[in-house]
Amino acid sequence: MLIAFNKPMNTLSQFTDEGKWHGLSRFGLPSGVYAAGRLDRDSEGLLLLTDDGKLQARITSPRTKTPKTYFAMVEGTPSADALAALCAGITLKDGPTAPAEVAQVDAPDWLWPRDPPVRHRKTVPDAWLRLTITEGRNRQVRRMCAHVGLPVLRLIRWSVAGHALVDLAPGDWRAV
C-alpha cells in the first residue's frame, strides 16, 4: 500500500506527538504504514507512507536518486548567478550537493493559505522557485537557498518519485 498525504505545516513526519508538535496519528491514516522519507515540521506538502519495507527503502535510498520537487517561497529576488549556482550544485558543510533543476516561477495557482501565514515585509521582495533534487539531506533545499542568499519563507514538497500532490488539501490523504 502506498499513501500520498499532504502534510500540514507544524506537523511531524512521525505518528507520535512530540511536545507541542502534532504527529500523523490524528489524520486517520491506515495502521501499519510508515513515512517513506521525512518532511521537516515547518515544511508542507507531499509525504509518502507505505507498509512495504522494500518500497520504503527504494524511495528513500540515496542510491536510487529519487526525484523530489519543491516549491520554495524565498526572500529576495533570485539573480541569474544564484539560480546557476543552485543548478550546478552547492557545497554545504556536509559536502557538495548534486546538481538541481531550478527555475523561478509564479506563485502556484493551487496554493492553499498557510497557518500561520508567512510574514510579508513591504520593503523586501519575495519570489517562488521550483526545485527538483535527487538527494534528501536534512533541510537540503533550505540550506541550498540560504547559501545563495535566498532564505526560504515557505517550502512545499510537490512530488516524490512521480507521485504528486494533485487535489490534496492539507491533512488529506489518498491511496496511490
Side-chain angles (χ1 to χ4, degrees):
M1 171 186 327
L2 184 63
I3 302 284
F5 173 65
N6 187 349
K7 187 188 88 58
M9 167 103 173
N10 290 330
T11 300
L12 301 175
S13 294
Q14 62 192 37
F15 279 86
T16 54
D17 295 349
E18 197 170 286
K20 67 178 184 175
W21 310 117
H22 303 296
L24 301 174
S25 61
R26 61 188 58 228
F27 295 100
L29 292 156
S31 62
V33 297
Y34 298 92
R38 300 190 63 80
L39 194 55
D40 298 325
R41 173 198 54 80
D42 54 349
S43 297
E44 309 163 73
L46 183 63
L47 182 64
L48 295 178
L49 299 108
T50 183
D51 60 355
D52 181 336
K54 288 182 182 180
L55 177 59
Q56 182 184 32
R58 192 167 58 245
I59 292 169
T60 60
S61 172
R63 288 187 302 259
T64 60
K65 297 182 178 6
T66 302
K68 299 164 207 66
T69 299
Y70 297 82
F71 284 87
M73 179 187 205
V74 296
E75 185 175 274
T77 303
S79 68
D81 288 345
L83 296 176
L86 291 168
C87 288
I90 300 291
T91 299
L92 301 172
K93 289 181 182 178
D94 56 350
T97 66
E101 293 178 26
V102 182
Q104 185 172 348
V105 297
D106 292 333
D109 60 0
W110 45 262
L111 200 60
W112 54 85
R114 192 183 85 169
D115 183 24
V118 175
R119 181 177 61 93
H120 290 282
R121 297 191 299 176
K122 292 180 183 179
T123 59
V124 180
D126 56 55
W128 282 91
L129 301 178
R130 184 183 63 238
L131 304 96
T132 300
I133 61 173
T134 57
E135 300 172 291
R137 297 187 203 179
N138 185 38
R139 301 181 73 79
Q140 181 176 345
V141 170
R142 290 178 188 278
R143 294 188 300 140
M144 289 173 65
C145 290
H147 187 84
V148 297
L150 298 168
V152 173
L153 301 172
R154 185 175 185 187
L155 185 61
I156 302 165
R157 183 159 56 196
W158 171 252
S159 67
V160 176
H163 301 284
L165 198 58
V166 179
D167 297 328
L168 274 179
D172 287 352
W173 60 272
R174 69 169 168 264
V176 294

